[in-house]
């Protein structure tokens, strides 16, 4: 019996021992399983809890949006009240930190709504671990400290996403991969897959410099410009000191560009009572008087339906000197006079000389026509400023001693309605400049008093013009008088080939030198000569572009695969890839993700355009885009015109020829990093501040170091930083200009 009791006791002890062993093994297996789970970290997780829900406003879809067909874009745009919303990806050196943070967050119930199942998993796991292992409790305590540290960083950076498969998917959506990554910036040398020491070293220097200065605020002592032009100051056109030194003003030299040796770093004040501009299309008919408080045109041209004052508005009835009964009637009269002009189909890009308040170009939008209007800054104060305030394209320029900043053979039609330009003098110097710009087979529409009035002066000008147009082989195809407006017009056609040039009895005006470049247009003197027209079938200008809108997407016929494009691909592929790139970026990010109020955007400038892809991607929006091709960049401006878009050459180390506060959105793709090699960055940003309207948007894509510099400058100007993003030394900045102006004024007078 004793032996039996001992056997029962031993059996109970053995059973207890086995049970304890089984429990220990089970616990050990659980711990091993937890360790393995924390090591794998393969579940895509929503980390939006790192930023409180109240701080989310918009979802930013792919600021660099180059990966097609991706879903669930996850960048967050900051609230409008925030001064900065910087999106960054940070990697954890230890994989178990991620699981620890998720465990702690799941206990607090703060994971994103879409991860409820994952929350339950982590809650169950944490409960099974509690009380079983002291090291696990220590890890959980450490995780609490880690979360507190992360919350502190979150307050400073506002957005943070961890690495792992989930964040890698986000990265692939935000930044391009494969061939499209080359579209971020062009390469000057073909090195295949290999970089160079020079490039690598320079990138590293920029990264180190930006990292070392991270968090350090640079102070700027901004002051208002002390100028007689005050709120309308244009540095290269209001350089009083340079204008006083001119020996002559016979050829309107005083209206040409005379940029100061040192670019200004002062800020232009706002007019008293300035308001946010009226939105298009209502702005075509009226604007706030306080935004452009000038009445000279009202006094001089009010009776001709140019502009009138009505309460706190300036009203634009749509008339002009030559179309007192409205621009639309005049536009239809031109079409009826010459059906082949085909507004919005054959004729898409127009140059309007001496545009006044640009009502002609403003109403041509209804016919799908894009008009480059220009006029000088003269005694008729602010006519170009009126046009831009209305939302109509216009620049300040004069036909004086230099070529206009456009390539040759690009405008389908050139228009001049009583522009008072003396075309016939000095060997037809000015008319020959129009001949340079006009596409072979294009039209010159001239409605001026010499066409239809019989005063001695008008008769003399008409005879001189008739002789001059014959000598340059322009054919007059229409001469007609409008009985409603009681004005007349003459329409001339430029030849399509050189046959007429070769048959001329007298070479007056002469042909230009054989090796002369008709596309050279930056500070090039005018010449009283004609360039021969292209003859080879593969030359630009031999064929008329396809009708609009087909020409927008079609690769120019003169492109061939043996040519290398800006981005290093064969030219046709380069062109197509650029267009696809910008369509994707604009549709997935700029239009739908960044929180831009596009209803308030009308005047847009692409500060560094290549093929015009950015502008082409905005074709369905009610905006127009001024494409700028830098003077030190590949000359792609003729391609932009071939597509039915427009633009001009410019050097951003100088001021742009426009009034202050005339653009709603400025876009700069890898402009400033290149520009820093030639001039200082600060005056360029001051110029950006000058031409951008308060409330306007500024989008910059560039390397990280340059983005950091621009961000510091923008903050010092009290701009709202809506989004910053960086990865692999590439970055994006979206800022919005405020109404802030400094109170101090410069002591020196400009």
């Amino acid at each position: 019996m004793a032996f039996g009791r001992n056997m029962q006791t031993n059996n109970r002890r053995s059973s207890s021992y086995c049970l304890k062993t089984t429990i220990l093994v089970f616990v050990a297996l659980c711990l091993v399983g937890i360790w393995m789970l924390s090591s794998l970290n393969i579940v895509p997780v929503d980390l939006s809890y790192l930023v409180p829900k109240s701080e989310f406003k918009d979802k930013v879809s792919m600021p660099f949006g180059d990966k097609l067909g991706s879903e669930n874009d996850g960048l967050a745009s900051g609230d409008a009240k925030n001064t900065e919303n910087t999106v960054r990806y940070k990697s954890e050196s230890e994989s178990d930190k991620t699981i620890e943070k998720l465990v702690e967050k799941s206990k607090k119930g703060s994971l994103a709504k879409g991860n409820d199942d994952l929350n339950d998993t982590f809650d169950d796991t944490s409960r099974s671990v509690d009380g079983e292992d002291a090291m696990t409790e220590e890890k959980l305590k450490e995780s609490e400290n880690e979360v507190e540290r992360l919350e502190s960083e979150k307050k400073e950076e506002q957005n943070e996403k961890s690495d792992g498969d989930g964040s890698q998917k986000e990265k692939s959506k935000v930044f391009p991969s494969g061939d499209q990554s080359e579209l971020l910036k062009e390469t000057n040398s073909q090195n295949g897959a290999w970089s160079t020491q020079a490039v690598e070293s320079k990138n590293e220097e920029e990264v180190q410099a930006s990292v070392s200065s991270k968090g350090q605020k640079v102070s700027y002592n901004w002051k208002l410009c002390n100028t007689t032009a005050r709120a309308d100051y244009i540095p290269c056109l209001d350089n009083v000191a340079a204008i006083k030194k001119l020996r002559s003003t016979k050829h309107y030299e005083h209206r040409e560009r005379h940029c100061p040796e040192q670019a200004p770093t002062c800020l232009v004040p706002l007019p008293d009572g300035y308001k946010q501009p009226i939105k298009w299309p209502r702005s075509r008919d009226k604007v706030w008087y306080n935004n452009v408080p000038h009445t000279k045109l009202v006094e001089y041209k009010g009776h001709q339906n140019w502009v009138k004052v009505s309460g706190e508005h300036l009203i634009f009835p749509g008339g002009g000197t030559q179309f007192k009964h409205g621009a639309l009637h005049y536009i239809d009269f031109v079409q009826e006079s010459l059906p082949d002009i085909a507004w919005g189909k054959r004729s898409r890009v127009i140059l309007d000389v001496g545009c006044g308040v640009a009502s002609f170009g403003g109403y041509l939008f209804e016919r799908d026509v894009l008009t480059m209007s220009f006029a000088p800054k003269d005694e008729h104060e602010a006519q170009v400023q009126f046009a831009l305030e209305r939302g109509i394209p216009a620049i300040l320029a004069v036909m004086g001693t230099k070529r206009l900043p456009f390539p040759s053979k690009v405008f389908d039609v050139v228009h001049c309605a009583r522009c008072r330009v003396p075309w016939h003098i000095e060997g037809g110097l000015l008319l020959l400049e129009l001949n340079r710009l006009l596409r072979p087979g294009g039209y010159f529409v001239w409605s001026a008093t010499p066409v239809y009035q019989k005063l001695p002066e008008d008769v003399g000008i008409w005879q001189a013009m008739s002789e001059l147009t014959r000598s340059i082989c322009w054919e007059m195809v229409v001469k007609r008088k409008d009985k409603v407006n009681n004005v007349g017009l003459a329409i001339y056609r430029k030849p399509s080939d050189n046959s007429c040039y070769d048959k001329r009895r007298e070479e007056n005006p002469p042909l230009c030198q054989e090796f002369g470049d008709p596309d050279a247009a930056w500070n090039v003197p005018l010449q009283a000569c004609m360039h021969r027209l292209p003859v080879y079938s593969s030359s630009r200008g031999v064929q008329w572009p396809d009708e609009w809108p087909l020409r927008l997407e079609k690769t120019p016929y003169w492109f061939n695969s043996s040519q290398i494009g800006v981005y290093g691909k064969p030219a046709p592929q380069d062109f197509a890839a650029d267009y696809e790139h910008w369509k994707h970026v604009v549709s997935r990010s700029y239009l739908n993700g960044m929180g831009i109020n596009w209803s308030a955007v009308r005047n847009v400038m692409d500060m560094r355009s290549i093929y015009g892809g950015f502008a082409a991607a905005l074709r369905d929006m009610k905006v127009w885009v001024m494409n700028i091709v830098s003077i030190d960049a590949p000359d792609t401006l003729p391609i932009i015109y071939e597509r039915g878009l427009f633009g001009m050459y410019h050097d951003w180390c100088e001021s742009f020829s426009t009034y202050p506060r005339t653009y709603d959105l400025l876009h700069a793709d890898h402009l400033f990093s290149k520009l820093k090699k030639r001039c200082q960055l600060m005056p360029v940003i001051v110029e950006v501040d000058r031409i951008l309207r308060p409330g306007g948007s500024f989008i910059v894509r560039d390397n990280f170091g340059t983005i950091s510099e621009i961000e510091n400058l923008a903050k010092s100007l009290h701009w709202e930083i809506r989004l910053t993003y960086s990865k692999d030394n590439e970055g994006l900045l979206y800022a919005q200009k405020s109404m802030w102006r400094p109170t101090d004024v410069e002591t020196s007078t400009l």
Side-chain angles (χ1 to χ4, degrees):
M1 293 294 294
F3 178 78
R5 285 194 297 271
N6 289 338
M7 286 288 292
Q8 292 176 3
T9 302
N10 290 337
N11 287 338
R12 285 195 296 269
R13 289 177 179 175
S14 176
S15 299
S16 176
Y17 176 80
C18 291
L19 180 60
K20 290 181 178 179
T21 302
T22 302
I23 292 174
L24 289 174
V25 170
F26 177 77
V27 170
L29 288 173
C30 289
L31 291 174
V32 170
I34 293 172
W35 174 81
M36 291 177 66
L37 181 62
S38 66
S39 299
L40 289 175
N41 187 27
I42 61 174
V43 183
V45 179
D46 184 355
L47 299 181
S48 59
Y49 64 82
L50 292 176
V51 180
K53 292 291 182 181
S54 60
E55 293 184 19
F56 279 84
K57 182 181 178 183
D58 300 305
K59 287 289 184 181
V60 178
S61 305
M62 304 170 61
F64 281 81
D66 297 281
K67 191 171 178 63
L68 296 172
S70 55
E71 300 176 353
N72 301 325
D73 300 328
L75 290 179
S77 174
D79 190 89
K81 297 180 181 179
N82 296 337
T83 59
E84 180 184 6
N85 184 11
T86 303
V87 181
R88 296 185 180 90
Y89 288 101
K90 292 186 176 181
S91 61
E92 295 288 350
S93 59
E94 299 177 9
S95 59
D96 61 340
K97 286 187 178 179
T98 303
I99 200 71
E100 289 168 2
K101 287 185 285 186
L102 293 172
V103 169
E104 184 63 18
K105 279 293 178 179
S106 66
K107 291 174 66 178
K108 295 181 179 180
S110 60
L111 275 175
K113 198 171 184 179
N115 289 325
D116 293 339
D117 294 338
L118 190 60
N119 291 348
D120 295 339
T121 300
F122 283 121
D123 283 339
D124 293 339
T125 304
S126 63
R127 284 194 293 269
S128 68
V129 172
D130 286 340
E132 297 291 341
D133 186 41
M135 291 182 63
T136 304
E137 289 190 8
E138 291 178 4
K139 278 194 170 186
L140 290 175
K141 290 180 180 179
E142 291 175 3
S143 70
E144 291 178 2
N145 296 333
E146 182 68 7
V147 170
E148 291 178 1
R149 181 183 69 80
L150 289 170
E151 290 291 335
S152 177
E153 288 185 359
K154 180 266 296 179
K155 291 179 181 178
E156 297 177 357
E157 299 180 350
Q158 296 186 352
N159 280 305
E160 182 178 36
K161 292 183 181 288
S162 71
D163 275 343
D165 288 352
S167 62
Q168 289 295 339
K169 290 181 180 179
E170 292 294 340
K171 290 180 185 180
S172 67
K173 289 186 289 185
V174 173
F175 277 92
S177 60
D179 292 339
Q180 288 197 352
S181 64
E182 299 171 16
L183 294 173
L184 287 173
K185 54 183 178 180
E186 68 273 17
T187 55
N188 294 322
S189 59
Q190 301 299 317
N191 299 309
W194 309 105
S195 183
T196 65
Q197 270 295 309
V199 172
E200 292 172 353
S201 299
K202 181 171 179 57
N203 289 343
E204 178 63 18
E205 289 174 3
E206 290 179 349
V207 171
Q208 290 181 7
S210 58
V211 170
S212 64
S213 62
K214 184 180 176 181
Q216 297 178 5
K217 294 184 178 180
V218 180
S219 61
Y220 297 92
N221 185 23
W222 298 113
K223 294 183 179 181
L224 294 176
C225 298
N226 186 3
T227 68
T228 55
R230 295 184 56 78
D232 295 335
Y233 177 50
I234 306 168
C236 291
L237 296 179
D238 291 325
N239 189 350
V240 178
I243 293 173
K244 287 181 177 179
K245 295 178 182 178
L246 294 174
R247 297 180 179 179
S248 172
T249 58
K250 179 181 178 182
H251 296 97
Y252 277 74
E253 292 90 340
H254 58 302
R255 302 301 183 193
E256 295 181 326
R257 291 170 58 84
H258 302 282
C259 298
E261 293 182 5
Q262 295 293 329
T265 56
C266 56
L267 305 181
V268 176
L270 296 176
D272 294 337
Y274 181 85
K275 299 180 180 180
Q276 290 295 327
I278 295 173
K279 298 177 182 179
W280 181 269
R282 292 191 302 121
S283 63
R284 188 184 66 180
D285 302 324
K286 66 178 181 179
V287 301
W288 297 114
Y289 170 78
N290 285 338
N291 288 11
V292 276
H294 302 292
T295 58
K296 285 187 178 180
L297 273 178
V298 177
E299 297 167 5
Y300 295 159
K301 303 291 186 178
H303 65 289
Q304 296 175 351
N305 274 346
W306 278 39
V307 56
K308 300 178 183 293
V309 177
S310 176
E312 57 183 356
H313 294 103
L314 290 167
I315 305 297
F316 299 88
T321 306
Q322 297 300 98
F323 31 97
K324 299 177 184 178
H325 295 278
L328 280 177
H329 170 79
Y330 175 81
I331 290 167
D332 290 337
F333 173 65
V334 175
Q335 174 78 61
E336 293 169 4
S337 302
L338 183 64
D340 286 347
I341 210 163
W343 295 128
K345 294 181 179 180
R346 184 181 189 273
S347 299
R348 162 65 181 174
V349 187
I350 313 300
L351 180 67
D352 188 16
V353 183
C355 63
V357 295
S359 290
F360 177 70
Y363 282 88
L364 271 173
F365 277 111
E366 296 187 12
R367 302 292 188 266
D368 243 353
V369 176
L370 200 57
T371 308
M372 175 73 75
S373 301
F374 79 92
K377 184 181 182 183
D378 59 6
E379 66 276 3
H380 291 166
E381 190 76 46
Q383 54 187 336
V384 167
Q385 190 176 18
F386 283 147
L388 288 161
E389 184 71 16
R390 297 172 68 189
I392 301 172
I395 62 167
L396 287 162
V398 63
M399 300 193 72
T401 66
K402 298 176 182 178
R403 290 179 176 177
L404 293 170
F406 313 116
S408 69
K409 306 182 294 292
V410 292
F411 289 103
D412 304 331
V413 175
V414 176
H415 173 258
C416 170
R418 200 169 183 171
C419 48
R420 295 179 178 271
V421 178
W423 303 115
H424 60 290
I425 67 173
E426 297 186 347
L429 184 69
L430 301 183
L431 194 66
L432 288 169
E433 171 63 359
L434 296 189
N435 185 69
R436 180 183 74 88
L437 301 175
L438 190 58
R439 191 182 297 279
Y443 296 106
F444 174 57
V445 179
W446 187 40
S447 61
T449 54
V451 177
Y452 59 93
Q453 290 189 0
K454 300 302 180 183
L455 297 175
E457 181 182 6
D458 292 323
V459 171
I461 292 174
W462 172 255
Q463 292 176 349
M465 273 290 286
S466 298
E467 183 178 347
L468 175 60
T469 52
R470 282 194 299 268
S471 69
I472 64 174
C473 296
W474 283 12
E475 176 190 4
M476 186 174 68
V477 293
V478 170
K479 184 181 180 184
R480 187 183 177 194
K481 190 171 183 178
D482 179 12
K483 296 180 180 179
V484 175
N485 280 328
N486 201 30
V487 300
L489 60 77
I491 303 178
Y492 300 87
R493 183 178 183 272
K494 179 180 176 178
S496 300
D497 56 42
N498 295 303
S499 58
C500 177
Y501 295 168
D502 296 333
K503 294 177 182 178
R504 291 188 306 163
R505 295 180 180 179
E506 297 183 7
E507 293 190 1
N508 185 27
L511 294 175
C512 298
Q513 294 181 357
E514 183 179 355
F515 299 104
D517 185 359
D519 292 327
W522 188 251
N523 291 330
V524 175
L526 291 173
Q527 288 181 292
C529 63
M530 297 184 301
H531 295 274
R532 292 184 66 85
L533 300 177
V535 294
Y536 299 107
S537 59
S538 59
S539 299
R540 180 176 68 85
V542 170
Q543 299 180 26
W544 194 269
D546 289 286
E547 288 190 352
W548 177 264
L550 181 61
R551 66 192 283 185
L552 179 74
E553 300 185 359
K554 189 170 182 180
T555 303
Y557 67 87
W558 71 83
F559 276 22
N560 61 70
S561 297
S562 63
Q563 298 171 311
I564 300 300
V566 175
Y567 304 115
K569 299 182 180 71
Q573 298 177 27
D574 223 43
F575 176 87
D578 177 82
Y579 186 33
E580 290 301 318
H581 167 81
W582 286 113
K583 280 197 299 184
H584 193 60
V585 170
V586 167
S587 64
R588 295 300 300 272
S589 176
Y590 293 177
L591 296 184
N592 299 314
M594 291 173 63
I596 298 173
N597 179 16
W598 284 95
S599 67
V601 176
R602 171 64 180 173
N603 305 352
V604 180
M605 178 185 288
D606 191 0
M607 298 178 69
R608 182 177 175 268
S609 184
I610 303 297
Y611 298 120
F614 170 70
L618 290 171
R619 59 159 293 186
D620 294 328
M621 304 293 291
K622 294 181 179 180
V623 303
W624 60 269
V625 182
M626 178 68 75
N627 293 281
I628 303 299
V629 173
S630 300
I631 61 169
D632 60 338
D635 187 3
T636 55
L637 194 51
I639 301 167
I640 292 170
Y641 277 91
E642 188 77 8
R643 304 183 73 171
L645 307 171
F646 66 8
M648 58 186 288
Y649 300 113
H650 185 59
D651 181 359
W652 282 112
C653 290
E654 299 179 359
S655 170
F656 189 73
S657 292
T658 190
Y659 283 92
R661 305 169 303 280
T662 47
Y663 283 86
D664 303 304
L665 187 148
L666 299 181
H667 180 261
D669 180 32
H670 287 86
L671 167 68
F672 298 106
S673 56
K674 298 178 183 298
L675 203 60
K676 288 193 298 183
K677 300 173 182 177
R678 299 194 298 113
C679 53
Q680 295 181 351
L681 186 59
M682 178 180 170
V684 184
I685 299 302
V686 168
E687 177 65 4
V688 168
D689 177 86
R690 189 184 72 85
I691 66 179
L692 188 63
R693 287 173 173 170
S697 299
F698 184 39
I699 303 175
V700 184
R701 300 156 63 95
D702 220 308
N703 63 49
F704 178 62
T706 302
I707 290 289
S708 297
E709 290 183 60
I710 296 173
E711 183 179 0
N712 283 334
L713 282 162
K715 287 179 179 177
S716 72
L717 290 166
H718 296 253
W719 290 16
E720 181 182 354
I721 308 301
R722 303 297 301 275
L723 172 70
T724 59
Y725 183 90
S726 64
K727 178 181 180 292
D728 296 339
N729 199 36
E730 291 293 332
L732 172 76
L733 170 70
Y734 165 39
Q736 193 170 29
K737 180 180 173 180
S738 70
M739 296 279 283
W740 177 83
R741 295 288 88 178
T743 55
D744 294 339
V745 181
E746 283 193 335
T747 55
S748 59
T749 304
L750 297 174

